[in-house]
Amino acid sequence: GAVVSQHPSWVICKSGTSVKIECRSLDFQATTMFWYRQFPKQSLMLMATSNEGSKATYEQGVEKDKFLINHASLTLSTLTVTSAHPEDSSFYICSAEGQGTNQPQHFGDGTRLSIL
Amino acid sequence: RKEVEQDPGPFNVPEGATVAFNCTYSNSASQSFFWYRQDCRKEPKLLMSVYSSGNEDGRFTAQLNRASQYISLLIRDSKLSDSATYLCVVNIAPPGGYQKVTFGTGTKLQVIP
């Protein structure tokens, strides 16, 4: 089946650091990738939709200057949490959609971000 | 009203029981539907797509009712390993636009020995 690789799995860093998370589709091309955030005991919340070769579409309430998304190729999207603070600590998950209509999402393993 | 609604549960059922979850969606332009399973502190995993004609995969049966705008997931002969949160996902793909994916909040299932 389709495989999506997300890296790193865990990040612990100091407040003020910028953190970059990579999401790669390993065996298929993904025109669209999605970035989610999940706080403990809560559902996934879509942060932004990343479209290859164009600007990301951010959900209401998500700061685009805080969460920088780059989708430079059909197999790679990156999320950079700039100047991270403790309230940014969360589980970040990416997903990639296969080409074609009505395709399901394939999720990466997620990144646990802890800001001290 | 939320775009996709699910009963959060928890549903506590004994092993071997049959359990059903429903998920309602508000946008009639919704085009594709999926059930995902999420274990605690893990990423969601695709369980099955939901087709208009209904579909079955082993102990799992998914159905779509477009008229009433809901999808369902039936689990027969529940196993302890079925304990997880089940997420309903609805996709809308407007002509010429990008797909919009909406998750339900999930229904927690706990299968008891």
Side-chain angles (χ1 to χ4, degrees):
Chain A
V3 178
V4 174
S5 172
Q6 189 172 338
H7 177 82
S9 300
W10 286 85
V11 180
I12 302 173
C13 55
K14 294 180 180 180
S15 184
T17 307
S18 291
V19 178
K20 187 176 184 179
I21 304 170
E22 291 188 350
C23 181
R24 294 180 185 273
S25 57
L26 297 184
D27 54 357
F28 67 102
Q29 293 184 326
T31 306
T32 306
M33 291 186 174
F34 302 88
W35 287 97
Y36 299 87
R37 179 167 53 183
Q38 187 175 35
F39 292 106
K41 297 186 179 181
Q42 295 189 24
S43 183
L44 289 170
M45 292 185 62
L46 179 65
M47 298 176 66
T49 301
S50 171
N51 305 300
E52 188 266 336
S54 64
K55 291 182 179 180
T57 303
Y58 289 82
E59 294 299 300
Q60 192 173 9
V62 178
E63 300 175 58
K64 61 181 181 180
D65 295 328
K66 171 79 172 177
F67 299 98
L68 301 178
I69 291 173
N70 184 279
H71 192 156
S73 76
L74 285 171
T75 58
L76 174 64
S77 177
T78 61
L79 168 68
T80 301
V81 184
T82 61
S83 187
H85 290 96
E87 59 266 28
D88 297 322
S89 299
S90 188
F91 186 47
Y92 292 85
I93 311 175
C94 73
S95 70
E97 175 196 277
Q99 292 180 320
T101 56
N102 299 328
Q103 294 299 307
Q105 305 290 305
H106 301 281
F107 285 86
D109 292 339
T111 297
R112 296 207 175 278
L113 177 62
S114 295
I115 308 298
L116 306 178
Chain B
R1 184 186 173 190
K2 290 182 181 177
E3 289 191 46
V4 177
E5 291 201 65
Q6 291 182 253
D7 182 342
F11 284 56
N12 298 312
V13 302
E15 258 187 300
T18 295
V19 61
F21 308 134
N22 278 344
C23 169
T24 59
Y25 59 95
S26 60
N27 193 325
S28 58
S30 302
Q31 293 186 322
S32 53
F33 310 87
F34 308 92
W35 283 103
Y36 283 77
R37 169 197 169 122
Q38 186 176 27
D39 293 289
C40 188
R41 298 174 70 83
K42 299 279 185 130
E43 77 284 7
K45 293 189 186 298
L46 179 66
L47 183 63
M48 59 198 304
S49 303
V50 186
Y51 302 119
S52 297
S53 55
N55 48 302
E56 187 175 309
D57 182 3
R59 297 182 293 110
F60 299 85
T61 301
Q63 290 192 312
L64 166 64
N65 186 317
R66 285 193 183 272
S68 301
Q69 295 185 192
Y70 76 85
I71 66 173
S72 63
L73 177 68
L74 182 78
I75 305 175
R76 290 182 298 278
D77 188 23
S78 300
K79 312 290 185 191
L80 295 176
S81 57
D82 294 333
S83 298
T85 296
Y86 291 83
L87 300 168
C88 162
V89 177
V90 175
N91 289 4
I92 302 169
Y98 291 110
Q99 177 178 259
K100 177 177 167 63
V101 180
T102 306
F103 280 81
T105 53
T107 298
K108 188 171 183 179
L109 172 66
Q110 185 70 48
V111 181
I112 305 163

